[in-house]
Amino acid sequence: MLRTCLILTIFRAVNIIAFYVGKPFYRYRRLQGNPFMPILQVLIAAIRKRNLLCPSNPASMSENFQGRLLSHTSRLRFLDNAAIVEENNIEQKDSQWRSATVTRVEETKLILNVIPIWLTSLVVGVCTANHTVKQAAAMNLKINNSFKIPPASMESVSAFGTIICPNI
């Protein structure tokens, strides 16, 4: 038991050191506005342009984004229509609801590719929460005579404890 705690403590210390050594190399960008708005704009632009033929050359698509650039991928090609520059509507090219950049489209593709992972992780989370509630139902949850912790809230008590004391 003592050996296991010592090994876990050493790994925790190595993780903390690695975190602080690598912290200057992290890219951090402050959030500006609603993070779901660009995704919604790409989806709406792709729906509006669903009847257009997507060019085989992504260089003919809109790209005037000031931030980091993502290269074009072939997955979820239906979203590529959002980046097509319409020649008959050049004056509306600057509208974010009519046209999106290739980078914005690729960011949306990345988010949509993560959704299956979230959904499969949801099953594991539900099973874990169910197990925690069943275990808590068998515990003595009385704090004093007038207060008893509900078994369903034990998962949040565990999360709160982890936030308060992360190094234990």
Side-chain angles (χ1 to χ4, degrees):
M1 179 71 175
L2 183 62
R3 185 179 298 181
T4 305
C5 288
L6 181 63
I7 291 171
L8 291 175
T9 303
I10 290 171
F11 276 120
R12 174 66 102 176
V14 169
N15 285 336
I16 291 172
I17 291 169
F19 174 76
Y20 282 110
V21 168
K23 195 173 179 181
F25 301 106
Y26 292 157
R27 274 191 348 189
Y28 180 73
R29 195 171 60 174
R30 287 215 177 264
L31 192 61
Q32 298 172 349
N34 187 346
F36 297 110
M37 194 60 67
I39 296 170
L40 185 63
Q41 289 171 344
V42 168
L43 291 173
I44 288 176
I47 290 169
R48 284 183 173 173
K49 297 178 182 181
R50 67 185 172 274
N51 295 328
L52 297 178
L53 292 175
C54 191
S56 59
N57 182 10
S60 63
M61 295 182 187
S62 166
E63 191 59 66
N64 56 5
F65 192 64
Q66 303 299 325
R68 65 184 185 276
L69 299 175
L70 296 174
S71 60
H72 180 262
T73 60
S74 61
R75 295 189 74 184
L76 299 173
R77 290 196 47 106
F78 68 93
L79 291 175
D80 291 342
N81 288 353
I84 296 174
V85 178
E86 295 177 280
E87 292 157 6
N88 56 352
N89 289 332
I90 301 249
E91 67 277 354
Q92 292 181 350
K93 184 175 106 174
D94 294 332
S95 171
Q96 294 179 343
W97 295 97
R98 291 289 301 166
S99 182
T101 62
V102 175
T103 301
R104 283 261 166 95
V105 171
E106 293 303 320
E107 288 174 348
T108 302
K109 287 180 182 181
L110 289 172
I111 295 296
L112 292 178
N113 284 328
V114 173
I115 289 175
I117 298 170
W118 289 341
L119 292 176
T120 54
S121 299
L122 182 66
V123 174
V124 174
V126 168
C127 291
T128 304
N130 188 21
H131 175 67
T132 305
V133 171
K134 283 186 177 183
Q135 185 179 10
M139 293 171 53
N140 180 11
L141 298 173
K142 266 191 169 173
I143 301 295
N144 58 23
N145 291 336
S146 63
F147 184 72
K148 180 181 175 188
I149 299 174
S153 66
M154 282 304 290
E155 189 72 32
S156 59
V157 169
S158 173
F160 184 71
T162 303
I163 291 170
I164 297 295
C165 307
N167 293 326
I168 294 179

